[in-house]
Amino acid sequence: MPNMARSKKHIARREQLVDATMRAITERGRQNLRIRDIAAEAGISPGSVLYHYPELDELLFDVHRVVVERFYQRRVELVESHDDAARRMVAAIDTGLPEGRDDAVAKTLYEMHGLADRSSQHGALMTSLFDREVALYGTILEIGVAAGRFALTGPSRDIARTLVVLEDGFGLHLLSNTTSVDLTLARTLLARYAHQATGCELPI
Amino acid sequence: MPNMARSKKHIARREQLVDATMRAITERGRQNLRIRDIAAEAGISPGSVLYHYPELDELLFDVHRVVVERFYQRRVELVESHDDAARRMVAAIDTGLPEGRDDAVAKTLYEMHGLADRSSQHGALMTSLFDREVALYGTILEIGVAAGRFALTGPSRDIARTLVVLEDGFGLHLLSNTTSVDLTLARTLLARYAHQATGCELPI
DNA sequence: ACAGGATTTGACTTTGTGTTCAAGTTCATA
DNA sequence: TATGAACTTGAACACAAAGTCAAATCCTGT
């Protein structure tokens, strides 16, 4: 079964290339991305990149998909590692903001926004992430209400959407060079909004 | 005074090129921007573009500067065209969101975020816009309080910053293809937050 | 109307990048 | 270990776009 060989290594290389591309995008930005950068980051030759991904668009799409999945899964895991409603909210806020200028997942995610503009496939990915983030916050809110910790000032869905949009806005500024916005401010204002919307003091 | 000729036409051409570049960016995106696109949009030859802007970066920077200025000035004008605090707030919200997928000023503004990452000059422009937008909202809030129309739930500066970040987050999604977010939703949620923060019902 | 600098142009050169490919190498299986 | 498919490579190629420049044209002040 000679195809088994191809499959295994092929798949491994493709995963490796997705990671390499994430790093390359983090370092150079998507618009300056060259095949040789991906190749160098993966430690192989440019020709091999094309061998495993004849269509560069496919690689970029896989990167987007992986990054969306990692970002979301990490949030779910960290949120679910807490029982207390307030701590769950803080976990959601913390995992929703980029950790720094070198946060590869967050950086790549934002670089992908420029693609969503012209590609409905990328747009669909972004929408799926947005919807799941809203659902995540929605669940946190509802459970908090059920536990008697939160008293919402409006529909949970609206609060959840506002939180996600706020995160994205802060993310944009944190990854740009808007010096008026830093991580502490972002956490503080997000927590303040959450406090106001839930009536629950957050341990931030 | 033969230099007068140069000056006058030179300056006019540069302004014309800035406008042409805005349109080209709106149509093709910044990463696909070619000199020939700018030239075509301006109705001149590619060589002339380089004649007036030997450094493309300088052109891009001028575009950024102009777009920031237009965006902000338009907001100030429309806000100041109202006397009532609530209507001023609505005007601020409406001018802070992109009008559609073809809103050239807003589109260009967001395309520029990708530059701020690597260029401190562009970062400074973005920061200056952010700060002025915060100041604009801050003034609206303070005047509303003085007029007895608003009763703020927190520091006006924090509310103002939250409003600006919310706008930017919505802008990001509106200009991408996040189908879960549309202009109506953005206006509604922004108004709801403003209502909550000021205690004043908005005529939206 | 003329002189001379300012502007415009299109053809040419240069550069940087993606893409192809023949040849070599690795590797799983029989 | 022998075989052939999967993989890798670097050199050659193709191409698109920026940049250069000499010549033509326009413009303004005199």
Side-chain angles (χ1 to χ4, degrees), chain A residues 116 131 158 168 173 180 192, chain B residues 116 131 158 168 173 177 180 192:
Chain A
D131 290 346
D158 285 347
D168 290 342
H173 287 292
S180 311
R192 192 159 297 180
Chain B
D131 290 347
D158 285 347
D168 291 341
H173 286 293
N177 270 323
S180 310
R192 190 159 299 179

Side-chain angles (χ1 to χ4, degrees), chain A residues 165-185:
Chain A
V165 172
L166 260 180
E167 274 176 8
D168 290 342
F170 277 121
L172 190 65
H173 287 292
L174 289 172
L175 292 176
S176 307
N177 270 323
T178 311
T179 49
S180 311
V181 177
D182 61 17
L183 188 53
T184 305
L185 177 69

Side-chain angles (χ1 to χ4, degrees), chain A residues 124-165:
Chain A
L125 272 185
M126 294 210 7
T127 302
S128 91
L129 176 59
F130 182 82
D131 290 346
R132 282 186 283 172
E133 288 179 301
V134 169
L136 178 61
Y137 269 115
T139 304
I140 294 172
L141 291 167
E142 293 291 354
I143 292 185
V145 169
R149 303 273 281 124
F150 295 163
L152 307 187
T153 57
S156 68
R157 184 177 176 71
D158 285 347
I159 297 172
R161 286 193 281 208
T162 302
L163 282 165
V164 173
V165 172

Side-chain angles (χ1 to χ4, degrees), chain A residues 9 24 30 44 50 53 67 89 121 127 145 175 185:
Chain A
K9 190 158 191 182
R30 198 192 80 255
I44 62 179
L50 274 302
Y53 274 105
V67 113
M89 180 62 81
Q121 287 192 317
T127 302
V145 169
L175 292 176
L185 177 69

Side-chain angles (χ1 to χ4, degrees), chain B residues 7 19 36 56 71-72 85 122-123 133-134 143-145 160 169 176 182 185 191 199:
Chain B
S7 286
D19 279 338
R36 63 178 49 153
L56 255 279
F71 184 74
Y72 178 68
H122 286 276
E133 289 180 301
V134 169
I143 292 185
V145 169
S176 307
D182 62 16
L185 177 68

Side-chain angles (χ1 to χ4, degrees), chain B residues 13 16-17 20 23 36-46 48-49:
Chain B
R13 268 277 187 265
Q16 181 188 2
L17 282 172
R23 288 195 299 275
R36 63 178 49 153
D37 301 320
I38 300 171
E41 205 72 48
I44 62 180
S45 77
S48 285
V49 176

Side-chain angles (χ1 to χ4, degrees), chain B:
Chain B
M1 198 192 246
N3 259 9
M4 200 53 184
R6 170 182 183 125
S7 286
K8 214 179 279 184
K9 191 158 191 182
H10 186 60
I11 291 174
R13 268 277 187 265
R14 279 172 71 106
E15 287 176 358
Q16 181 188 2
L17 282 172
V18 167
D19 279 338
T21 305
M22 270 184 52
R23 288 195 299 275
I25 287 178
T26 306
E27 282 165 25
R28 301 184 44 98
R30 188 179 48 80
Q31 66 276 29
N32 309 317
L33 188 68
R34 295 169 305 184
I35 289 189
R36 63 178 49 153
D37 301 320
I38 300 171
E41 205 72 48
I44 62 180
S45 77
S48 285
V49 176
L50 273 303
Y51 175 77
H52 294 288
Y53 273 106
E55 298 298 327
L56 255 279
D57 286 350
E58 201 187 338
L59 172 54
L60 233 49
F61 187 69
D62 281 356
V63 168
H64 196 171
R65 222 177 36 211
V66 164
V67 115
V68 160
E69 232 51 50
R70 281 198 198 156
F71 184 74
Y72 178 68
Q73 286 308 327
R74 177 159 174 278
R75 300 194 73 172
V76 170
E77 276 173 31
L78 267 150
V79 165
E80 294 188 343
S81 75
H82 292 93
D83 287 326
D84 178 61
R87 289 193 191 283
R88 284 162 61 91
M89 180 64 81
V90 171
I93 289 173
D94 281 339
T95 54
L97 294 169
E99 308 212 313
R101 200 69 42 80
D102 58 339
D103 184 330
V105 172
K107 182 79 190 302
T108 307
L109 213 41
Y110 279 91
E111 295 275 351
M112 291 298 167
H113 273 263
L115 290 178
D117 197 355
R118 257 158 260 281
S119 151
S120 58
Q121 286 192 316
H122 286 276
L125 272 184
M126 294 208 9
T127 302
S128 91
L129 176 59
F130 181 82
D131 290 347
R132 282 186 283 172
E133 289 180 301
V134 169
L136 178 61
Y137 270 116
T139 304
I140 294 172
L141 291 168
E142 294 290 353
I143 292 185
V145 169
R149 302 272 282 123
F150 295 163
L152 307 188
T153 57
S156 68
R157 184 175 176 71
D158 285 347
I159 297 172
R161 285 193 282 209
T162 302
L163 283 165
V164 173
V165 172
L166 260 181
E167 274 176 7
D168 291 341
F170 277 120
L172 190 65
H173 286 293
L174 289 172
L175 293 175
S176 307
N177 270 323
T178 309
T179 49
S180 310
V181 177
D182 62 16
L183 188 54
T184 305
L185 177 68
R187 292 179 82 236
T188 305
L189 292 186
L190 265 166
R192 190 159 299 179
Y193 171 72
H195 174 201
Q196 203 178 344
T198 62
C200 174
E201 188 80 44
L202 295 190
I204 222 153

